[in-house]
């Protein structure tokens, strides 16, 4: 049996751990971000808690691991594929990292290239034999300065927001990459080392609209409040700028001396002009950039399957445009996006690079690509709920449906957690979306987030075309959909201002209890759609354990909590 441990190390955000191991003819996987256990959002600390959790899932001590691969960014860990830990300047490592490597007692350990790790997450978990792989993020592994005159546009420290002039600085790093996947091999075809789509979107989100660090999802939501009528007020990027793998939009703005608008004052609502229209403009151009890169990827690799990862690929609106356009052009059969496309997926990427590329492993990835958290003791979790006054109703789903249709807000905790930034039915907060006030109620009592941001609908896979006009599964909430006009008044809490809905479709395979609940709701209201949002309060990670769920319920305005088959009503 081969077992590989993958780590994302600081000081960058989203540290975590992933273990892959061979078991009964498949490659098993357990992956967890450190934040889920430390309760520190986007944790940058050494992922000790996550390491212990994934090793415990396989029942292995660290000494039984055959290979360790890590993602760690910086000039001292420059690498195009992999390099042994021993070739890195020892002063690069933090004290806890040094202690961990010593504890390996000579076991092989490697640093992996950041974009290669992203590509591994995009390709291997879907068990395809041939694909184009597209990676689009902010920036990844450093590349040698002396090999090119390319220099990145500065984004600023996490605490620097607004009033930040466009300027280059002496760093060169990968920003957008295309790989050709064949069998278990990943061949790099092209890489950009210029600030690309990710840096453009981040810069506008952070320094113009004033959302701060790593808040680009808010800009995507805000774009729905803008208007195409105002596009001529902002720069239009010429077609030749999108050249092969390069989309240097910030370079263009710098070279044309664009006057960066003043950052939005904190006391100004984001939907106030011009910020809503700036968001629309930024979204318009990131869609064009992603479409260009996706088209380039399938053409350059002669592939009809496109696998994607990197933080930019969490932009569901851009993904849908790329998918639909390339299918209409006859270039694409399927487009697959990794649910943990952000840097939270790096531990998995490092582990998969270790297994398939370093160790030469051949087993297919397990059937479940997203519910990768540690196995939970459901009976013990239910006892925790019963201990605080909960019960196990004979007809749990009927009881939950009663609560939801009385406009109650229900915390939903089931099985292993989802890997990545989005709740997909294991760690969710559920509401009935019929009430026009539900969105504001949820924001005020539980989520405490900006009112302009949309909430996501969830429904059974077989009902998606009827209500959302989508004829393909959307199991990971990664392709935008539109609520059909005739259903918008019936689903006000999940219909965005532009008529869109960031849908998740549900099948019985991995979330059977949620699937059955949606069936009960459909029997009662004729639709079977719920509002689904992540189980957490603003500024905290998604809950991992049942105790986290109980604590979150007590701190917020949740009306009820479901843990396994146990129900607690928060009177």
């Amino acid at each position: 049996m081969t077992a590989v441990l993958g780590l994302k190390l600081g000081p960058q955000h989203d540290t975590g751990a992933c273990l892959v191991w061979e078991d009964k003819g498949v490659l098993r996987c357990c992956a967890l971000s450190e934040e889920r256990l430390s309760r520190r959002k986007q944790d940058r600390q050494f992922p000790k808690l996550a390491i212990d959790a994934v090793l415990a899932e396989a029942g292995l001590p660290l000494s039984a691991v055959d290979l360790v691969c890590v993602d760690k960014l910086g000039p001292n860990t420059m690498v195009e594929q992999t390099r042994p830990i021993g070739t890195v300047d020892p002063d690069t490592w933090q004290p806890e990292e040094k202690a961990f490597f010593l504890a390996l007692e000579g076991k092989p350990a490697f640093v992996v290239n950041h974009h290669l790790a992203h590509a591994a997450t995009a390709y291997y978990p879907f068990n395809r034999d041939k694909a184009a792989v597209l990676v689009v993020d902010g920036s990844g592994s450093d590349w040698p300065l002396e090999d090119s005159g390319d220099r990145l546009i500065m984004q600023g420290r996490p605490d620097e927001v607004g009033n930040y002039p466009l300027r280059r600085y002496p760093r060169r790093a990968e920003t957008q990459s295309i790989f050709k996947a064949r069998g278990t091999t990943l061949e790099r075809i092209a890489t950009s080392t210029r600030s690309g789509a990710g840096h453009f979107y981040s810069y506008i989100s952070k320094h113009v609209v004033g959302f701060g660090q790593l808040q680009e999802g808010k800009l995507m939501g805000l774009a729905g409040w803008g208007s195409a009528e105002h596009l001529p007020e902002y720069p239009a990027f010429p077609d030749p700028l999108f050249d092969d793998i390069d989309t240097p939009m910030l370079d263009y703005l710098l070279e044309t001396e664009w006057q960066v608008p003043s950052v939005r004052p904190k006391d100004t609502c984001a939907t106030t002009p011009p910020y809503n229209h700036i968001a629309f403009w930024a979204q318009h151009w990131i869609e064009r950039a992603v479409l260009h890169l996706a088209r380039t990827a399938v053409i350059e690799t002669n592939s009809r399957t496109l696998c994607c990862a990197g933080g930019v690929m969490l932009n569901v609106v851009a993904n849908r445009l790329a998918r639909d356009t390339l299918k209409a052009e006859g270039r694409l059969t399927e487009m697959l996006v990794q649910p943990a496309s952000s840097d939270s997926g790096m531990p998995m990427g490092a582990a998969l690079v270790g297994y398939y590329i370093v160790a030469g492993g051949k087993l297919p990835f397990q059937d479940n690509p997203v519910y990768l958290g540690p196995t939970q003791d459901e009976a013990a979790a239910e006892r925790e709920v019963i201990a605080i006054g909960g019960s196990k109703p004979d007809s749990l789903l009927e009881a939950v449906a009663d609560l939801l249709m009385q406009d109650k807000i229900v915390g939903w905790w089931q099985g292993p957690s989802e890997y990545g930034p989005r709740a997909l039915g294991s760690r969710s907060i559920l509401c009935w979306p019929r009430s026009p006030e539900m969105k504001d109620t949820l924001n005020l009592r539980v989520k405490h987030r900006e009112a302009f941001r949309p909430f996501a609908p969830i429904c059974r896979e077989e009902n998606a075309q009827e209500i959302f006009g989508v004829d393909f599964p959307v199991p990971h909430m990664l392709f935008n959909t539109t609520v059909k006009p005739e259903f918008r008044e019936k689903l006000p809490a999940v219909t965005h201002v532009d008529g869109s809905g960031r849908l998740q479709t549900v099948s019985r395979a991995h979330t059977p209890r949620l699937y059955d609940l949606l069936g009960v709701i459909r029997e009662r209201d004729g639709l079977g759609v719920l509002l689904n949002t992540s189980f957490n309060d603003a500024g905290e990670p998604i809950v991992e354990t049942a105790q986290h769920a109980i604590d979150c319920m007590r701190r917020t305005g949740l009306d009820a909590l479901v843990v396994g088959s146990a129900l607690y009503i928060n009177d």
Side-chain angles (χ1 to χ4, degrees):
M1 180 185 77
T2 299
V4 180
L5 180 65
L7 305 179
K8 169 74 167 70
L9 300 179
Q12 287 80 22
H13 55 89
D14 290 315
T15 59
C18 172
L19 187 75
V20 296
W21 69 100
E22 296 175 328
D23 182 36
K24 298 178 182 177
V26 298
L27 188 67
R28 293 278 309 283
C29 179
C30 180
L32 193 66
S33 294
E34 183 73 1
E35 68 167 21
R36 295 294 184 96
L37 297 177
S38 71
R39 311 310 298 154
R40 294 184 294 263
K41 184 76 170 176
Q42 292 164 342
D43 203 341
R44 297 169 182 259
Q45 303 301 310
F46 182 76
K48 183 181 186 309
L49 298 174
I51 292 171
D52 290 346
V54 300
L55 288 173
E57 177 71 10
L60 297 176
L62 182 60
S63 59
V65 170
D66 298 288
L67 174 67
V68 175
C69 287
V70 306
D71 172 72
K72 185 178 177 71
L73 298 181
N76 291 342
T77 53
M78 198 178 302
V79 58
E80 286 193 35
Q81 187 156 330
T82 64
R83 62 185 285 192
I85 293 292
T87 66
V88 177
D89 183 342
D91 291 337
T92 301
W93 309 110
Q94 300 296 316
E96 283 185 286
E97 295 167 353
K98 290 180 179 178
F100 173 79
F101 292 135
L102 285 173
L104 293 178
E105 297 181 341
K107 288 284 179 71
F110 295 84
V111 177
V112 303
N113 173 269
H114 189 78
H115 276 197
L116 180 63
H118 269 313
T121 70
Y123 178 61
Y124 295 121
F126 297 107
N127 292 321
R128 298 303 190 266
D129 295 324
K130 173 183 178 180
V133 181
L134 175 64
V135 176
V136 191
D137 64 2
S139 60
S141 297
D142 283 62
W143 285 50
L145 286 171
E146 60 271 16
D147 291 354
S148 169
D150 293 349
R151 298 295 182 267
L152 298 183
I153 303 288
M154 291 189 73
Q155 301 291 302
R157 297 189 308 270
D159 59 342
E160 293 179 309
V161 178
N163 304 314
Y164 201 84
L166 288 166
R167 59 193 185 275
R168 298 184 180 92
Y169 73 118
R171 184 183 177 219
R172 181 172 174 246
E174 58 194 7
T175 58
Q176 301 171 163
S177 295
I178 294 170
F179 295 80
K180 181 168 71 173
R182 298 293 186 269
T184 58
T185 66
L186 283 169
E187 177 189 356
R188 189 188 296 263
I189 298 298
T191 290
S192 177
T193 56
R194 305 180 72 181
S195 286
H199 272 181
F200 163 73
Y201 206 69
S202 295
Y203 182 90
I204 301 302
S205 175
K206 182 179 180 183
H207 295 302
V208 179
V209 187
F211 285 145
Q213 185 87 347
L214 302 175
Q215 300 297 312
E216 294 83 6
K218 296 181 182 181
L219 192 68
M220 181 176 67
L222 180 61
W225 293 84
S227 170
E229 295 178 3
H230 292 266
L231 277 176
E233 299 170 15
Y234 304 100
F237 298 104
D239 289 343
L241 192 72
F242 294 175
D243 179 24
D244 191 38
I245 192 63
D246 291 326
T247 60
M249 292 180 280
L250 285 184
D251 283 294
Y252 179 84
L253 296 178
L254 175 62
E255 291 163 6
T256 56
E257 300 182 349
W258 182 55
Q259 295 300 304
V260 179
S262 298
V263 66
R264 175 179 60 90
K266 290 184 178 180
D267 60 354
T268 298
C269 178
T271 58
T272 303
Y275 303 104
N276 57 335
H277 303 310
I278 290 172
F280 186 96
W281 166 72
Q283 178 64 34
H284 171 84
W285 284 106
I286 200 172
E287 289 172 22
R288 271 65 192 167
V290 169
L291 172 57
H292 163 77
L293 292 168
R295 183 185 286 118
T296 301
V298 296
I299 292 173
E300 292 298 318
T301 62
N302 189 29
S303 303
R304 296 181 58 83
T305 293
L306 176 63
C307 299
C308 305
V312 171
M313 302 313 298
L314 292 172
N315 192 303
V316 300
V317 184
N319 291 350
R320 184 66 189 273
L321 176 69
R323 179 195 180 277
D324 288 359
T325 303
L326 295 181
K327 284 183 76 70
E329 293 174 356
R331 302 183 190 276
L332 187 71
T333 301
E334 61 176 346
M335 180 174 172
L336 304 167
V337 182
Q338 166 56 234
S341 273
S342 66
D343 281 3
S344 64
M346 285 295 93
M348 179 205 276
L352 293 175
V353 168
Y355 178 75
Y356 287 109
I357 296 176
V358 178
K362 300 297 182 183
L363 292 185
F365 196 84
Q366 64 183 39
D367 178 58
N368 163 24
V370 66
Y371 300 95
L372 302 178
T375 301
Q376 302 291 329
D377 184 338
E378 185 171 291
E382 291 169 349
R383 287 195 294 271
E384 292 185 56
V385 173
I386 292 169
I388 62 169
S391 64
K392 296 185 70 173
D394 292 336
S395 301
L396 172 70
L397 301 183
E398 297 289 343
V400 174
D402 288 342
L403 291 166
L404 289 168
M405 297 185 75
Q406 294 166 22
D407 290 333
K408 302 300 184 182
I409 302 172
V410 178
W412 182 263
W413 184 100
Q414 302 288 329
S417 60
E418 308 92 333
Y419 190 47
R422 292 180 179 156
L424 299 171
S426 281
R427 302 291 184 275
S428 290
I429 292 173
L430 304 176
C431 309
W432 196 44
R434 286 291 186 101
S435 169
E437 292 78 34
M438 177 52 70
K439 179 180 171 183
D440 291 338
T441 301
L442 182 59
N443 264 329
L444 180 66
R445 289 174 46 196
V446 181
K447 297 295 288 187
H448 307 117
R449 68 183 202 175
E450 299 90 342
F452 70 83
R453 295 169 62 188
F455 284 108
I458 187 169
C459 75
R460 282 181 165 188
E461 185 178 302
E462 58 266 31
N463 304 134
Q465 186 163 13
E466 173 195 351
I467 302 165
F468 298 95
V470 59
D471 60 356
F472 61 96
V474 194
H476 305 140
M477 205 186 293
L478 288 165
F479 294 93
N480 202 38
T481 61
T482 299
V483 184
K484 286 186 175 180
E486 60 266 33
F487 293 110
R488 291 177 188 176
E489 288 189 1
K490 297 178 180 180
L491 300 171
V494 294
T495 302
H496 197 27
V497 64
D498 60 357
S500 65
R502 192 179 69 187
L503 176 68
Q504 179 197 354
T505 57
V506 178
S507 64
R508 184 182 292 279
H510 298 301
T511 53
R513 192 168 277 147
L514 178 59
Y515 179 87
D516 289 342
L517 174 63
L518 289 166
V520 173
I521 297 294
R522 185 171 174 87
E523 288 174 1
R524 297 191 183 193
D525 72 2
L527 294 179
V529 177
L530 291 175
L531 181 158
N532 171 37
T533 188
S534 57
F535 198 157
N536 63 308
D537 197 355
E540 74 168 5
I542 297 174
V543 302
E544 176 63 22
T545 68
Q547 187 60 55
H548 295 158
I550 293 169
D551 292 343
C552 185
M553 176 193 67
R554 286 171 166 164
R555 287 194 310 272
T556 64
L558 287 178
D559 296 303
L561 172 64
V562 178
V563 170
S565 60
L567 171 65
Y568 177 83
I569 298 176
N570 194 18
D571 295 324

